[in-house]
Amino acid sequence: MRMRINTVSIMTRRTTLAPAVLLGATALFLTGCASDPAARDIATGSAPAKADTGADTGADTTADTGPRITLTYDGGLLVLDQDLHVVGDEPIDGFTRVNPAGDDRHVLVTVPEGFRVLDTAAGTTGQPALTDVTFPADTGGHAVVHGDRTALFADGSGDVTSFDHADLAASVADGELPDVDTTESAAAHHGVAIELEDGTLLTTIGTEESRSGVRALDADGTETARSEVCPDVHGEGAVRGDVAVFGCTDGALVYQDGTFTKIDAPTTYGRTGNLFTTDTSSIALGDFNDDPDSEGYLLDQVALIDATSDEYRVADLPDGVGFTFRGIARGLDDEALVLGSDGALHRFDEETGKPLGTIEVIDAWQGPAEWQDAHPALKVLDGIAYVTDPAERTVHAVDLASGDVVASSDRLPGVPNEIAVS
């Protein structure tokens, strides 16, 4: 079932959401900044005392047209400008995840109530603010941006909330949610959804115990196709031609022109759990694991899945080098980019899997004991790779064209964990 819900009905149902005005939300944000001496006092614009390294983590907070980098740490959120200076520090409880909302300005922060909107103020003259505007969700999980739409999945109910992210800024400025579509699943599960440009919604099939595949719904919410040959489905993306790809434990599931097709992995067990796609390439990049008994979170192979030719290639990292789901992205020419446990960025040709060279960035690091634990992460935007270094409490910007580290932050107020760039 898929239904349109207007903003008024959502706000009326949610008694915990008082009408949010950004002035009040900004006041809350400023209180959080003042509590941390390493952040600039953005209420006055004055620089605070220097951090414990002797370096000033503050910066001129005049807005620029460059990206804003959002980092989580234990107990808070940091917002950095394009020069990697801290321009905002907001307290928040517990482990949280962050995802771009899709409009180049806002970030979605997982909270117990759902997905709370962080205004990074990118491209404006304002200051970052963790607003009171929240998309309700029972155990918020994946947030997927594709085209003009963003789809949010609630693991605790199986519901999908989708919206046009071009409407987000105006709605948040009024303290409201934009209009949303809500789609229900047959059962709650750890799932994901993506909305294609023709309005088709692809959403996973599963229960609390297992996941089996994906179904397709048209703009009216009518199921038009389904496939249940994708065990433990996880990871999604859309490649060139608006073709969707999902990861399975034995290959990948592709949706094109109203039909699902399975691409088998080269091994009986060949799990891809995270996919990274672009709209200029037919190839989906994924992590790859061919050992069902493997322990820990470090992997040493990547999958290159061609949705046009149905070819499934695997590329190996150098001996002794691993990576996690946080350390994989696409480069300038759609090549595979992997942040290895040796501290270097490893580049691979997307079609052949041939190594294309490395860029040294940080020191070697060990795999995490739990996936939620802070460990190096990678995001790429407009030819710049952003690499976190939890051991040094820093983040670095790498120009992929030159291979140079073009900016590095001072020591941050907290250990960086999750990262989103908008």
Side-chain angles (χ1 to χ4, degrees), residues 1 22 37 116 153 161 174 182 187 219 223 243 247 276 290 322 330 337 391:
M1 177 175 140
L22 290 183
R116 190 172 174 183
F153 198 93
T161 300
D174 291 334
T182 298
E223 183 173 313
V243 176
F276 302 83
D290 60 2
R330 302 299 284 266
L337 193 65

Side-chain angles (χ1 to χ4, degrees), residues 69 71 84 326 337 339-340 343-345 359 361-362 365 376-380 384-390 394-398 400 405 407-409 416 419 421:
I69 298 90
L71 300 167
L84 305 185
R326 286 187 185 155
L337 193 65
L339 175 59
L345 291 173
I359 303 172
V361 185
I362 61 176
W365 50 277
L378 166 69
K379 293 293 182 183
V380 174
I384 302 296
Y386 297 91
V387 176
T388 66
D389 187 352
T394 54
V395 60
H396 308 279
V398 181
L400 293 176
V405 176
S408 296
S409 72
I419 178 174
V421 183

Side-chain angles (χ1 to χ4, degrees), residues 105-401:
R105 172 173 172 176
H106 294 89
V107 168
L108 300 170
V109 182
T110 56
V111 295
E113 297 80 17
F115 298 87
R116 190 172 174 183
V117 179
L118 170 70
D119 184 355
T120 71
T124 77
T125 58
Q127 301 298 335
L130 182 59
T131 75
D132 289 331
V133 178
T134 302
F135 290 89
D138 180 353
T139 314
H142 288 280
V144 178
V145 175
H146 179 63
D148 298 327
R149 303 283 288 177
T150 300
L152 313 177
F153 198 93
D155 291 351
S157 65
D159 289 352
V160 179
T161 300
S162 55
F163 62 95
D164 189 330
H165 47 245
D167 299 334
L168 189 60
S171 297
V172 170
D174 291 334
E176 300 177 346
L177 290 172
D179 288 344
V180 304
D181 290 332
T182 298
T183 304
E184 298 177 348
S185 295
H189 62 282
H190 176 56
V192 69
I194 181 171
E195 187 168 332
L196 301 181
E197 293 179 5
D198 66 357
T200 298
L201 182 72
L202 299 169
T203 180
T204 51
I205 302 167
T207 67
E208 292 184 0
E209 289 75 33
S210 65
R211 302 182 302 276
S212 59
V214 181
R215 60 190 180 124
L217 308 175
D218 65 17
D220 295 324
T222 302
E223 183 173 313
T224 58
R226 71 162 48 203
S227 173
E228 296 192 58
V229 296
C230 187
D232 294 329
V233 56
H234 194 279
E236 82 302 316
V239 298
R240 186 176 61 211
D242 210 32
V243 176
V245 184
F246 296 83
C248 318
T249 56
D250 57 358
L253 188 66
V254 175
Y255 178 85
Q256 183 176 17
D257 298 330
T259 302
F260 286 102
T261 304
K262 182 68 176 292
I263 302 178
D264 292 330
T267 54
T268 302
Y269 179 87
R271 181 180 188 273
T272 294
N274 299 275
L275 290 171
F276 302 83
T277 60
T278 75
D279 60 8
T280 55
S281 170
S282 65
I283 295 173
L285 166 67
D287 47 24
F288 183 79
N289 181 16
D290 60 2
D291 181 6
D293 300 318
S294 62
E295 298 180 354
Y297 295 95
L298 285 180
L299 302 173
D300 56 15
Q301 295 178 300
V302 295
L304 300 165
I305 306 162
D306 194 325
T308 298
S309 66
D310 292 349
E311 293 181 87
Y312 194 120
R313 301 181 182 88
V314 174
D316 298 317
L317 267 71
D319 289 344
V321 177
F323 70 97
T324 77
F325 70 97
R326 286 187 185 155
I328 186 167
R330 302 299 284 266
L332 275 172
D333 298 314
D334 292 334
E335 73 271 20
L337 193 65
V338 181
L339 175 59
S341 58
D342 59 351
L345 291 173
H346 297 260
R347 299 170 59 238
F348 298 88
D349 184 278
E350 63 158 347
E351 295 184 353
T352 66
K354 178 182 177 181
L356 298 176
T358 60
I359 303 172
E360 296 183 1
V361 185
I362 61 176
D363 291 337
W365 50 277
Q366 299 293 318
E370 302 292 340
W371 70 265
Q372 298 96 334
D373 294 343
H375 60 278
L378 166 69
K379 293 293 182 183
V380 174
L381 180 67
D382 296 335
I384 302 296
Y386 297 91
V387 176
T388 66
D389 187 352
E392 298 297 328
R393 279 172 48 176
T394 54
V395 60
H396 308 279
V398 181
D399 186 327
L400 293 176

Side-chain angles (χ1 to χ4, degrees), residues 67-112:
R68 288 285 169 92
I69 298 90
T70 301
L71 300 167
T72 68
Y73 67 92
D74 186 9
L77 298 166
L78 297 174
V79 179
L80 280 59
D81 65 14
Q82 65 177 349
D83 296 319
L84 305 185
H85 296 135
V86 175
V87 293
D89 186 353
E90 173 67 28
I92 194 166
D93 293 333
F95 172 77
T96 190
R97 311 205 72 182
V98 287
N99 289 280
D103 66 346
D104 297 330
R105 172 173 172 176
H106 294 89
V107 168
L108 300 170
V109 182
T110 56
V111 295

